[in-house]
Amino acid sequence: MAKGHRSQIKRERNAIKDKRPSAKLSYARVSVQKACYVLDAIRGKDVTTALGILTYNPRYASSLIKKLLESAIANAENNNGMNAENLYIAEAYANKGPTMKRIRPRAQGRAYRIEKRMSHITLVLDER
């Protein structure tokens, strides 16, 4: 097999793949800017503190991120055998997703464009 063979490259990439538990929410109907307000509040915190912050945060994105955090905790417990009390949020970020473009009719035959933005939210946990 040649050094740069496709299957060999895939094996090497999977060997160094990040082993930390994570969860990803794709196509969330919240803008990146609004999701980042909530993500900034929980980044670096332990899991129980982050769940408390998300429970009482009035923003819409906090309910989505709370579900995502619970999923990441379940992934850590079931797939990696980690204890939930020792986990903290190592990485939390939102990337830009597609934008739905809509038209709002205005006076004299004009139209305003409305952009409904989406985001891809990722949480990565780690043990202390």
Side-chain angles (χ1 to χ4, degrees):
M1 203 184 306
K3 183 179 181 190
H5 196 268
R6 185 174 292 154
S7 61
Q8 183 181 4
I9 293 171
K10 282 185 178 181
R11 261 187 261 127
E12 290 173 2
R13 187 175 58 220
N14 289 338
I16 60 171
K17 189 177 173 183
D18 197 7
K19 301 289 186 210
R20 298 181 297 182
S22 65
K24 184 172 182 179
L25 173 62
S26 298
Y27 304 103
R29 273 289 290 121
V30 63
S31 70
V32 173
Q33 185 178 8
K34 292 177 182 178
C36 281
Y37 282 127
V38 180
L39 292 174
D40 290 341
I42 65 168
R43 188 177 295 116
K45 303 251 188 326
D46 62 303
V47 170
T48 54
T49 305
L51 282 173
I53 291 170
L54 293 173
T55 302
Y56 295 106
N57 193 333
R59 292 185 179 267
Y60 170 71
S62 64
S63 62
L64 298 175
I65 295 171
K66 182 181 176 190
K67 278 186 177 181
L68 187 64
L69 178 58
E70 290 168 348
S71 174
I73 293 168
N75 289 343
E77 290 176 339
N78 295 325
N79 299 342
N80 297 33
M82 296 178 172
N83 191 1
E85 288 103 29
N86 300 332
L87 296 175
Y88 75 99
I89 300 172
E91 295 179 27
Y93 54 89
N95 294 328
K96 184 179 173 187
T99 302
M100 294 191 296
K101 292 153 183 92
R102 301 293 182 260
I103 299 297
R104 168 79 64 181
R106 304 314 276 169
Q108 298 180 358
R110 293 181 174 89
Y112 283 175
R113 186 180 210 178
I114 296 177
E115 294 181 345
K116 299 185 175 189
R117 301 181 189 275
M118 292 185 214
S119 59
H120 305 302
I121 304 170
T122 305
L123 290 178
V124 179
L125 303 180
D126 204 359
E127 272 189 318
R128 293 207 183 225

